[in-house]
Amino acid sequence: MANLRDIRRRIKSVKNTAQITKAMQLVAASKMKKAQDQAMSGRPYADLLNKVLVNLKEQTSEEDHPLLKERDGEKELVIVVTTDKGLCGPLNTNLLRMVSDTEHVTKEAVFVTVGRKGSQALSRMKRELLADFEIKDPAAFLETKQISEFAVEKFLSGEYDRVKVAFTNFINTISQEPMVETLLPIRPIDLGRDKDF
């Protein structure tokens, strides 16, 4: 049977653990708020960009610009954006499940990954990986520009008929939706849409 000193030591240990847990919770809440603000700050830009694309598509024909040209081929380049680390619930799992579904991505698709979890999963699935980009958080414009230039070059050279992006759309802290959207040929997409759940 435990004596009084052991019980007091145990109580002190539990209190110390509770303090550490509370501090970790505060740090996690701060990081979550920062990530949420970062995700929400891009919404107005995405909406404006989408309006520009809609106007561009309405006023320009496919012959006027090579990035608007629809092609009949089935060769797809898919940019998969995942996290570098785990412990984020079904965020990566749902996205990778969608990428492996032939309804969204062809079986012959070739992949470009942003994020370690995506490259690891695609190599386990034995899918062809063309390139892997490492981008730090928060993403700098110059780092993301390399990816867009790479994708545009592959599309304009005729190597691929479509360029798609697979990502997780942040709706709110409770729900994030995996999406696969076509980037090239240019067409309006509905990024950052609000949904009722």
Side-chain angles (χ1 to χ4, degrees):
M1 186 170 162
N3 61 23
L4 193 57
R5 184 181 299 154
D6 290 339
I7 293 171
R8 283 189 182 139
R9 191 178 298 136
R10 181 74 179 198
I11 290 171
K12 188 176 179 183
S13 172
V14 168
K15 283 182 180 177
N16 288 342
T17 303
Q19 284 180 331
I20 292 168
T21 305
K22 179 125 176 106
M24 290 171 66
Q25 185 181 9
L26 290 171
V27 169
S30 170
K31 284 184 178 180
M32 182 64 182
K33 177 71 174 134
K34 188 176 172 184
Q36 185 177 357
D37 290 345
Q38 196 176 359
M40 298 302 275
S41 68
R43 292 262 166 94
Y45 175 75
D47 290 340
L48 184 61
L49 185 61
N50 199 43
K51 287 176 186 170
V52 169
L53 289 176
V54 169
N55 288 336
L56 179 73
K57 191 82 170 174
E58 288 173 356
Q59 296 175 12
T60 312
S61 68
E62 287 184 13
E63 291 76 33
D64 291 339
H65 201 284
L67 293 179
L68 296 170
K69 192 166 181 79
E70 297 279 345
R71 299 185 191 151
D72 294 331
E74 291 297 314
K75 293 186 284 184
E76 284 183 352
L77 179 67
V78 182
I79 302 168
V80 181
V81 182
T82 59
T83 64
D84 283 330
K85 299 177 183 175
L87 296 174
C88 51
L91 192 88
N92 291 325
T93 309
N94 289 343
L95 180 64
L96 292 166
R97 189 177 298 129
M98 183 177 267
V99 166
S100 64
D101 183 8
T102 55
E103 182 182 326
H104 301 285
V105 176
T106 62
K107 281 189 176 184
E108 294 77 29
V110 176
F111 295 91
V112 171
T113 57
V114 179
R116 214 175 3 248
K117 290 296 177 182
S119 60
Q120 290 171 352
L122 290 168
S123 63
R124 277 195 306 271
M125 288 188 240
K126 304 216 181 330
R127 302 297 295 263
E128 187 178 345
L129 190 60
L130 187 63
D132 180 28
F133 289 91
E134 286 187 28
I135 293 185
K136 302 289 179 232
D137 191 33
F141 174 73
L142 287 176
E143 291 178 317
T144 58
K145 187 178 176 191
Q146 292 174 347
I147 301 167
S148 63
E149 286 174 347
F150 180 82
V152 167
E153 178 190 319
K154 294 295 181 186
F155 180 76
L156 290 177
S157 69
E159 282 185 63
Y160 298 98
D161 303 308
R162 276 183 306 283
V163 176
K164 292 184 174 183
V165 62
F167 63 100
T168 303
N169 184 26
F170 178 84
I171 297 165
N172 57 43
T173 52
I174 304 296
S175 52
Q176 299 87 29
E177 175 190 22
M179 297 179 74
V180 177
E181 295 283 355
T182 302
L183 290 179
L184 295 173
I186 293 175
R187 62 180 65 165
I189 55 179
D190 200 9
L191 293 177
R193 60 181 176 253
D194 292 324
K195 290 189 171 182
D196 296 326
F197 283 91

